[in-house]
Amino acid sequence: MERIVMKFGGSSVATTEKIAHVAQLIVAEVKKGNEVAVIVSAMGKTTDTLLALANDLNPHASKRELDMLLMTGEQVTASLLALAIEARGHKAKSFTGWQAGVRTESVYGDARIEDVQAAKVQSTITSGGVAVITGFQGIDIDGELTTLGRGGSDTSAVAVAIGISATICDIYTDVEGVFTTDPRVVSSAVQLHEISYDEMLELANLGAGVLHPRAVEFAKNHQMPLRVRPAHKKGKGTTIKEEVNLEANLSVRGIAFEQNVARITIMYETPYNGSLASIFTTLANHHLNVDIIVQSIQQDLQPSVSFSVKKEDFDEVIHVLDANKSNLRYQRLDFEEGLAKVSIVGSGMVSNPGVAAEMFDALRVATIPIKMVSTSEIKVSVVVPESAMVEAVEVLHAKFKLHTAI
């Protein structure tokens, strides 16, 4: 007997037919003798629909009221799924996030989980019932209801799994598992049987949408094994754990990519030590994130600093820089839109220092210009023209023979 957590995303429970199928998967686990807790998201595009309704009434709605509104979507799913399990002859009980003991910090819209007091959930599953819990939500120390932001149900699932000392946390999706890259973009992409926490965390942060980065980080910190599994077809999925058998695999394990990137370059008459701190402190104070940063200070050349931002933040970044031009003491700024970021990831890169050179050479041969570069121990990211993004992914997938990955 195992104690498992099963998480189902919005597309996996988008209709009553899909909810009925999910109920069958859960009942099958119960029949194996397993104790089961389930985390669910809102059905299909429910969250988007609720946001649209709120915007129609108040485009400047408070985050507190948005949280109160959005968390109703998961409650609908949890109740319907509990009913579907009961219809198949098994006990089930639905819980909101706060009823399940999910305690968060006091932040609306993007709260972090601080603790899970799972006594009610444990009582339900040890008595043979299925606990069906709303993802994406919790309660703070003052009794205020909070949500965890986009992708928060993944984090809810990991937190509950840790709270009830589960054996494993299964994340059910519409894909068969984690692939070397998006199979919709590269037809030769293959599913990985396993991948390390660090590799999955890099891929998630770099644009791979299979898992939310916060959930992977949470799982790594608490050594909770994860498994990405298909919700509507048979398959073992991909296991995410601390260590994988690198000897049998390649230095590069996956390729992530992200569209809608812009590069901003700030130029100075003369450099001064406070320039970088001033720029990025100012942007941080406005909750604006930057990614790759490149500074250039050379004799007889105008000093500059370039950094990349997401397109959705571009207009606000330009506005903030312009409004603070006198304080930041720069002469002028330039920018380039229509860019994309392509990244290779693999734990094996630590012991293979030539990987970055191979990446750059492959892109050179394909005449794909590299605008910016960022590296870490297990990843190399490049910014390229968005028009060349797909070709860059295909070239690198072939270069590192990822079609042979296991």
Side-chain angles (χ1 to χ4, degrees):
M1 183 185 76
E2 290 186 329
R3 178 174 289 183
I4 63 175
V5 169
M6 306 169 72
K7 181 264 176 178
F8 295 90
S11 58
S12 299
V13 290
T15 65
T16 53
E17 291 79 12
K18 287 188 174 184
I19 290 176
H21 174 72
V22 165
Q24 291 176 343
L25 293 178
I26 295 166
V27 168
E29 293 292 347
V30 174
K31 287 182 176 179
K32 293 177 185 177
N34 293 327
E35 295 178 346
V36 181
V38 182
I39 306 293
V40 293
S41 299
M43 296 173 65
K45 299 294 185 181
T46 298
T47 300
D48 292 336
T49 301
L50 292 173
L51 282 171
L53 291 172
N55 189 64
D56 285 345
L57 293 170
N58 183 355
H60 306 291
S62 68
K63 289 186 177 181
R64 182 189 186 279
E65 294 310 318
L66 284 178
D67 275 6
M68 294 292 289
L69 173 67
L70 296 183
M71 60 182 58
T72 63
E74 281 74 18
Q75 289 177 229
V76 171
T77 310
S79 296
L80 290 175
L81 182 54
L83 291 171
I85 295 169
E86 287 179 343
R88 284 155 181 78
H90 290 270
K91 294 189 298 180
K93 188 174 183 179
S94 64
F95 295 88
T96 60
W98 56 96
Q99 287 174 324
V102 179
R103 311 297 175 181
T104 76
E105 62 182 349
S106 300
V107 175
Y108 296 118
D110 194 27
R112 288 182 174 270
I113 295 175
E114 295 182 337
D115 186 29
V116 177
Q117 300 170 9
K120 289 183 179 180
V121 174
Q122 297 221 46
S123 175
T124 298
I125 62 177
T126 54
S127 65
V130 176
V132 184
I133 304 160
T134 57
F136 173 67
Q137 58 191 243
I139 190 169
D140 73 5
I141 193 170
D142 297 318
E144 288 291 308
L145 305 182
T146 58
T147 67
L148 310 182
R150 288 288 187 177
S153 290
D154 287 350
T155 311
S156 296
V158 175
V160 169
I162 294 165
I164 65 172
S165 301
T167 307
I168 195 166
C169 179
D170 284 332
I171 308 292
Y172 285 82
T173 72
D174 285 344
V175 298
E176 295 173 41
V178 179
F179 282 71
T180 51
T181 194
D182 191 335
R184 296 169 298 181
V185 173
V186 179
S187 59
S188 59
V190 297
Q191 181 187 336
L192 297 167
H193 297 320
E194 58 182 27
I195 189 170
S196 71
Y197 291 125
D198 287 338
E199 290 169 328
M200 190 67 245
L201 186 56
E202 287 283 12
L203 289 171
N205 277 317
L206 292 166
V210 180
L211 282 173
H212 194 280
R214 195 186 297 178
V216 182
E217 182 179 13
F218 211 171
K220 174 181 170 59
N221 290 342
H222 293 270
Q223 292 296 292
M224 173 56 62
L226 296 177
R227 187 166 49 193
V228 178
R229 306 185 66 178
H232 297 289
K233 61 175 68 174
K234 292 183 178 180
K236 294 183 178 180
T238 301
T239 300
I240 302 155
K241 55 185 183 179
E242 185 61 43
E243 295 182 1
V244 299
N245 184 7
L246 293 176
E247 295 297 327
N249 293 300
L250 304 169
S251 298
V252 176
R253 298 274 286 158
I255 300 176
F257 53 89
E258 185 177 0
Q259 301 182 74
N260 298 322
V261 172
R263 178 178 64 174
I264 297 173
T265 301
I266 296 177
M267 284 152 281
Y268 296 84
E269 284 288 355
T270 56
Y272 75 101
N273 291 335
S275 59
L276 287 179
S278 298
I279 293 167
F280 298 115
T281 298
T282 300
L283 294 176
N285 288 339
H286 288 81
H287 307 288
L288 294 167
N289 293 319
V290 303
D291 190 9
I292 300 173
I293 302 171
V294 178
Q295 186 178 28
S296 176
I297 300 177
Q298 299 182 46
Q299 188 173 359
D300 299 326
L301 292 177
Q302 187 174 30
S304 67
V305 58
S306 298
F307 53 91
S308 63
V309 298
K310 293 182 179 180
K311 185 177 180 180
E312 63 196 58
D313 293 330
F314 175 76
D315 288 341
E316 189 173 357
V317 169
I318 294 294
H319 172 73
V320 169
L321 292 174
D322 185 61
N324 292 274
K325 184 175 182 179
S326 59
N327 293 332
L328 297 177
R329 296 166 54 185
Y330 67 87
Q331 183 188 22
R332 65 188 180 93
L333 62 81
D334 196 4
F335 59 85
E336 183 178 7
E337 298 181 272
L339 302 175
K341 183 171 67 174
V342 177
S343 308
I344 58 173
V345 174
S347 296
M349 292 168 61
V350 175
S351 56
N352 289 273
V355 173
E358 292 183 65
M359 178 188 195
F360 302 150
D361 188 59
L363 296 175
R364 177 190 62 81
V365 171
T367 65
I368 297 173
I370 298 174
K371 305 283 188 175
M372 305 179 80
V373 177
S374 175
T375 65
S376 74
E377 280 192 327
I378 66 168
K379 66 96 173 171
V380 181
S381 297
V382 295
V383 174
V384 301
E386 192 170 78
S387 59
M389 182 189 74
V390 172
E391 183 185 2
V393 176
E394 292 173 337
V395 164
L396 296 173
H397 198 272
K399 174 69 176 180
F400 294 107
K401 298 182 173 57
L402 292 184
H403 60 281
T404 66
I406 58 172

